[in-house]
């Protein structure tokens, strides 16, 4: 009996998924566990493995289109099976559900200028159906570049689908859809990916719901860099600076466990495990692989795990447990030459540490002597609902002492 294949949540924060590639074609046999399609989530591109068996009778969501959790994306059944009843059921459900701009609905065939939304381009109105406008907005397509195929040049649904399927970035001119006047340097409309949208939503929510405050100080880094060199001289692989910082942060959190907490409205959750995330830049956004239980691991073990996680992050291979649930986050832009910066707290954590570059500077030491030292700027962003100013300051002071005197981690 034919069954609908539903979009499932492939990450904890996923609300919609974009089909980036179908691995099976209509008419092909599908076994349980077969890779059915690739789905772009808010964090990465994930494999969708079928839990059903049969023939892929119908693909409902094409490559480049999105579907919400629980929405049908395909139909699997026996070869030659009649699926008209299922298609009618899906169509009825679609009509009853709120429009998101991508569902199948009946196209209007006549323009209605009296109620048509007007946009101006070189003195001419752009005529497009309401559905086409919603789809274009949803997919980031500039209507000024679309040549409509409907009555009187009206832009309709199939024009948007064709533009979205072009190999060029949607919104840039194509041979079929060149605007009448081309500027010297054309604007480029880049559609917002699911990942970028979730990053924007989460960070905006964090920034405007969590009352941030910031603590800054400079750390003499010669001590731990010397310790790092001594350790690396005994190993075949060099331990990264980030591994040292994560270990130092974990030791400072042990002394100030409230830093490792989450605001939950009526309660504050104190986490038993120190799970530290490191912000890693990808081509289409930011992801935070998490090293678990850092308080009970040594620097070598942390570095090995971090190396593997970063490799996966840069190749879009992280699984949800590997990038979610950091109780504290480190963001290091020192390699870019950034002297100092402030970072937005990454939920569910209540604090994030921003690391600037290491650079030599003259410092006044005991006896009013001037000495050249390597200094690094640290900026701690704290959620004031959880971490009071004095607590954040004490944590940052202890972290500075540990980094300047690494032997402190031994007691």
């Amino acid at each position: 009996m034919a069954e609908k294949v539903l979009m499932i949540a492939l990450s904890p924060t996923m609300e919609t998924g974009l089909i980036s590639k179908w691995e099976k074609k209509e008419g092909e046999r599908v076994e349980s566990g077969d890779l059915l399609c690739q789905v772009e989530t808010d964090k990465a591109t994930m494999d969708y493995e079928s839990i059903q068996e049969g023939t892929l009778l119908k693909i409902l969501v094409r490559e480049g289109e999105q579907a919400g959790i629980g929405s049908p994306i395909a139909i699997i059944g026996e070869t030659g099976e009649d699926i008209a009843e299922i298609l009618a059921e899906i169509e009825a459900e679609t009509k009853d559900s709120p429009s998101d701009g991508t569902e199948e609905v009946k196209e209007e065939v006549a323009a209605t200028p009296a109620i048509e939304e007007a946009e101006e381009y070189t003195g001419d109105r752009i005529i497009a159906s309401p559905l086409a406008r919603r789809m274009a907005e949803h997919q980031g397509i500039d209507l000024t570049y679309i040549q409509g195929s409907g009555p009187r040049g009206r832009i309709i649904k199939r024009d948007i689908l064709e533009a979205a399927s072009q190999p060029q970035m949607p919104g840039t001119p194509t041979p079929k859809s060149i605007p009448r006047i081309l500027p010297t340097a054309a604007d480029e409309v880049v559609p917002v990916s699911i990942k970028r949208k979730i990053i924007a939503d989460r960070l905006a929510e964090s920034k405007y719901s969590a009352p941030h405050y910031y603590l800054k100080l400079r750390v003499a880094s010669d001590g731990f860099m010397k310790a790092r060199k001594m350790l690396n001289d005994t190993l075949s692989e060099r331990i990264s600076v980030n591994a040292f910082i994560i270990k130092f942060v974990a030791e400072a959190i042990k002394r100030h466990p409230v830093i490792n907490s989450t605001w939950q409205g009526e309660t504050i959750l104190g986490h038993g495990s120190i799970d530290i995330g490191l912000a890693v830049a990808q081509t289409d956004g930011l992801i935070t692989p998490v090293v678990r239980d850092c308080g009970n691991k040594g620097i070598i073990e942390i570095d090995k795990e971090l190396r593997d996680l970063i490799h996966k992050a840069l190749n879009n291979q992280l699984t949800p447990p590997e990038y979610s649930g950091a109780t504290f986050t480190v963001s290091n832009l020192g390699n870019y030459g950034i002297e100092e910066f402030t970072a937005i707290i990454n939920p569910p954590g209540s604090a994030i540490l921003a690391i600037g570059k290491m650079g030599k500077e003259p410092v006044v030491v005991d006896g009013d002597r001037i000495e050249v030292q390597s200094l690094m700027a640290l900026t701690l962003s704290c959620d004031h609902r959880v971490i009071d100013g004095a607590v954040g300051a004490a944590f940052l002071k202890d972290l500075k002492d540990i980094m300047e005197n690494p032997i402190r981690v031994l007691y």
Side-chain angles (χ1 to χ4, degrees):
M1 180 177 178
E3 295 179 308
K4 292 178 282 188
V5 179
L6 304 180
M7 178 64 76
I8 59 175
L10 297 171
S11 77
T13 55
M14 175 179 165
E15 295 180 357
T16 61
L18 182 145
I19 306 294
S20 59
K21 182 182 180 182
W22 279 99
E23 300 292 346
K24 295 288 186 179
K25 298 178 180 178
E26 289 185 1
E28 287 189 352
R29 179 72 185 176
V30 178
E31 302 293 341
S32 178
D34 281 357
L35 180 58
L36 191 61
C37 60
Q38 299 281 343
V39 178
E40 180 186 329
T41 73
D42 56 317
K43 295 293 186 181
T45 299
M46 309 289 289
D47 292 340
Y48 187 123
E49 294 183 356
S50 177
I51 59 173
Q52 294 149 301
E53 296 182 354
T55 299
L56 182 56
L57 301 176
K58 182 72 174 176
I59 291 176
L60 302 174
V61 180
R62 302 195 307 174
E63 293 180 0
E65 295 181 343
Q66 298 186 41
I69 302 301
S71 299
I73 61 173
I75 299 174
I76 288 179
E78 296 302 322
T79 302
E81 188 172 353
D82 184 4
I83 60 173
E85 185 176 339
I86 292 182
L87 290 175
E89 178 185 338
I90 293 172
E91 183 178 358
E93 291 173 351
T94 301
K95 288 181 179 179
D96 292 339
S97 63
S99 170
D100 65 359
T102 59
E103 65 278 352
E104 298 283 340
V105 298
K106 185 176 180 181
E107 274 286 358
E108 298 177 1
V109 295
T112 53
I115 61 172
E116 192 69 63
E117 230 181 294
E119 293 181 35
E120 297 298 325
Y121 182 73
T122 65
D124 295 326
R125 295 177 58 208
I126 293 176
I127 302 177
S129 72
L131 174 61
R133 289 183 183 279
R134 291 197 302 271
M135 292 178 65
E137 180 180 1
H138 189 69
Q139 299 192 37
I141 296 175
D142 189 345
L143 291 177
T144 59
Y145 293 133
I146 305 299
Q147 179 65 49
S149 62
R152 296 194 298 119
R154 179 182 175 85
I155 299 172
I156 59 178
K157 174 185 174 181
R158 65 169 171 260
D159 301 319
I160 303 300
L161 292 176
E162 183 176 346
S165 67
Q166 294 289 332
Q168 294 93 342
M169 183 68 71
T172 58
T174 67
K176 182 181 176 181
S177 56
I178 303 293
R180 279 162 284 187
I181 297 179
L182 287 174
T184 303
D187 294 340
E188 180 183 18
V189 178
V190 179
V192 177
S193 67
I194 297 176
K195 181 187 296 184
R196 174 59 62 187
K197 184 178 185 304
I198 295 297
I199 289 172
D201 291 344
R202 287 184 49 130
L203 292 183
E205 180 182 359
S206 172
K207 179 67 174 177
Y208 296 113
S209 66
H212 286 53
Y213 69 89
Y214 309 98
L215 302 172
K216 302 180 182 182
L217 52 71
R218 302 176 83 75
V219 172
S221 53
D222 290 317
F224 85 81
M225 290 301 289
K226 181 179 179 181
R228 174 174 176 256
K229 182 179 183 306
M230 292 173 62
L231 179 59
N232 283 338
D233 286 344
T234 67
L235 302 173
S236 57
E237 288 189 326
R238 295 170 61 83
I239 306 298
S240 68
V241 170
N242 286 325
F244 272 82
I245 291 173
I246 287 174
K247 179 59 179 175
F248 294 152
V249 166
E251 292 300 322
I253 287 177
K254 287 181 183 179
R255 294 157 171 78
H256 305 277
V258 72
I259 301 293
N260 202 49
S261 302
T262 297
W263 175 261
Q264 294 190 318
E266 299 299 323
T267 59
I268 294 175
L269 173 62
H271 300 281
S273 176
I274 301 174
D275 301 331
I276 299 179
L278 178 71
V280 174
Q282 297 176 310
T283 56
D284 59 345
L286 189 72
I287 198 164
T288 309
V290 183
V291 181
R292 306 287 176 183
D293 197 22
C294 295
N296 293 316
K297 292 177 179 175
I299 291 176
I300 295 176
E301 187 176 2
I302 289 173
D303 184 76
K304 183 179 183 303
E305 290 188 26
L306 190 61
R307 195 185 304 273
D308 292 341
L309 289 168
I310 291 175
H311 175 77
K312 288 184 177 182
L314 295 178
N315 289 278
N316 286 319
Q317 296 174 341
L318 288 175
T319 60
E322 292 174 322
Y323 61 70
S324 58
T327 59
F328 188 96
T329 303
V330 173
S331 181
N332 188 348
L333 295 180
N335 288 339
Y336 294 91
I338 302 302
E339 294 184 356
E340 64 177 54
F341 66 103
T342 57
I344 299 174
I345 296 168
N346 178 35
S350 294
I352 182 171
L353 183 69
I355 310 290
K357 73 170 186 178
M358 282 184 283
K360 292 187 178 296
E361 297 182 23
V363 177
V364 178
V365 296
D366 295 341
D368 290 340
R369 292 182 298 105
I370 295 179
E371 183 177 289
V372 176
Q373 296 181 358
S374 293
L375 298 181
M376 173 190 291
L378 305 184
T379 304
L380 181 69
S381 305
C382 297
D383 182 346
H384 214 321
R385 297 173 301 180
V386 179
I387 305 170
D388 291 332
V391 175
F395 164 80
L396 198 57
K397 179 181 180 301
D398 271 357
L399 177 60
K400 170 184 168 71
D401 291 344
I402 290 172
M403 293 178 69
E404 292 182 342
N405 304 281
I407 196 172
R408 285 198 60 190
V409 301
L410 299 178
Y411 60 90

Coordinates of all heavy atoms in Angstrom, one line a residue, residues 20 40 88 101 126 188 214 220 246 265-266 280 283 298 302 304 307 310 357 401:
S20 N 18.2 19.3 -1.2 CA 19.3 19.7 -2.0 C 19.6 18.7 -3.1 O 20.1 19.1 -4.2 CB 20.6 19.9 -1.2 OG 20.9 18.7 -0.5
E40 N 19.1 19.9 3.4 CA 19.8 21.0 4.0 C 19.0 21.5 5.2 O 17.9 21.9 5.1 CB 20.0 22.2 3.1 CG 20.8 23.4 3.7 CD 20.8 24.6 2.7 OE1 20.9 24.4 1.5 OE2 20.9 25.7 3.3
A88 N -4.9 13.4 -3.8 CA -6.1 14.2 -3.4 C -6.1 14.6 -2.0 O -6.4 15.7 -1.6 CB -7.4 13.5 -3.8
G101 N 3.9 29.9 0.8 CA 4.5 30.4 -0.4 C 5.2 29.4 -1.3 O 5.6 29.7 -2.4
I126 N 5.7 45.7 -12.5 CA 6.0 44.3 -12.5 C 4.7 43.6 -12.1 O 4.2 43.8 -11.0 CB 7.1 43.9 -11.6 CG1 8.4 44.5 -12.0 CG2 7.2 42.4 -11.5 CD1 9.6 44.2 -11.1
E188 N 23.4 41.8 -6.7 CA 23.2 40.3 -6.6 C 22.3 40.0 -5.4 O 22.5 40.4 -4.3 CB 24.6 39.6 -6.4 CG 24.5 38.1 -6.3 CD 25.8 37.4 -6.1 OE1 26.7 38.1 -5.6 OE2 25.9 36.2 -6.3
Y214 N 29.7 42.9 29.3 CA 31.0 42.5 28.8 C 32.1 42.9 29.8 O 32.2 44.0 30.3 CB 31.3 43.2 27.4 CG 30.1 43.0 26.5 CD1 29.1 44.0 26.3 CD2 29.9 41.8 25.8 CE1 28.1 43.8 25.5 CE2 28.9 41.6 24.9 CZ 27.9 42.6 24.8 OH 26.9 42.4 23.9
A220 N 48.9 38.0 29.6 CA 50.3 37.7 29.2 C 50.3 36.3 28.7 O 50.0 35.4 29.5 CB 51.3 38.0 30.3
I246 N 40.7 26.0 25.7 CA 39.5 25.2 26.2 C 39.8 24.5 27.5 O 39.0 24.5 28.4 CB 39.1 24.2 25.1 CG1 38.4 24.9 23.9 CG2 38.2 23.1 25.7 CD1 38.1 24.0 22.8
G265 N 14.0 30.4 32.9 CA 12.8 31.2 33.3 C 12.5 31.1 34.8 O 12.8 32.0 35.6
E266 N 11.9 30.0 35.2 CA 11.6 29.8 36.6 C 12.8 29.1 37.4 O 12.8 29.1 38.6 CB 10.3 28.9 36.8 CG 9.1 29.5 36.2 CD 8.7 30.8 36.8 OE1 8.9 31.0 38.0 OE2 8.3 31.7 36.0
V280 N 33.3 27.8 14.6 CA 34.0 27.5 13.4 C 33.3 28.1 12.2 O 32.1 27.9 12.1 CB 34.2 25.9 13.2 CG1 34.8 25.6 11.9 CG2 35.0 25.3 14.4
T283 N 31.5 28.1 4.9 CA 31.3 29.0 3.8 C 29.9 29.6 3.8 O 29.7 30.7 3.3 CB 31.4 28.3 2.5 OG1 30.6 27.1 2.5 CG2 32.9 27.8 2.3
G298 N 42.3 15.7 29.5 CA 43.6 16.4 29.4 C 43.7 17.2 28.0 O 42.9 17.0 27.1
I302 N 41.6 16.6 24.5 CA 40.8 17.7 24.0 C 41.2 18.0 22.5 O 40.4 18.2 21.6 CB 40.9 18.9 24.9 CG1 40.2 18.6 26.2 CG2 40.3 20.1 24.2 CD1 40.3 19.7 27.3
K304 N 42.8 16.2 20.3 CA 42.4 15.2 19.3 C 40.9 15.3 18.9 O 40.6 15.2 17.7 CB 42.7 13.8 19.9 CG 42.5 12.7 18.9 CD 42.8 11.3 19.5 CE 42.6 10.2 18.5 NZ 41.2 10.1 18.0
R307 N 40.3 18.4 16.8 CA 40.8 18.3 15.5 C 39.8 17.5 14.6 O 39.5 17.9 13.5 CB 42.2 17.6 15.5 CG 43.0 17.7 14.2 CD 44.2 16.8 14.3 NE 45.0 17.2 15.5 CZ 45.9 18.1 15.5 NH1 46.2 18.8 14.4 NH2 46.6 18.4 16.6
I310 N 36.6 19.7 14.0 CA 36.8 20.8 13.1 C 36.8 20.3 11.7 O 36.2 20.9 10.7 CB 38.0 21.6 13.4 CG1 37.9 22.4 14.7 CG2 38.4 22.6 12.3 CD1 39.1 23.1 15.2
K357 N 44.0 38.6 19.0 CA 45.3 38.1 18.6 C 46.3 38.3 19.7 O 46.2 39.1 20.6 CB 45.7 38.9 17.3 CG 46.1 40.4 17.6 CD 46.8 41.0 16.4 CE 47.3 42.4 16.7 NZ 48.0 43.0 15.5
D401 N 44.9 34.2 35.5 CA 45.9 33.7 36.4 C 46.4 32.3 35.9 O 47.6 32.0 35.9 CB 45.5 33.6 37.8 CG 45.3 35.0 38.5 OD1 45.8 36.0 37.9 OD2 44.6 35.1 39.5

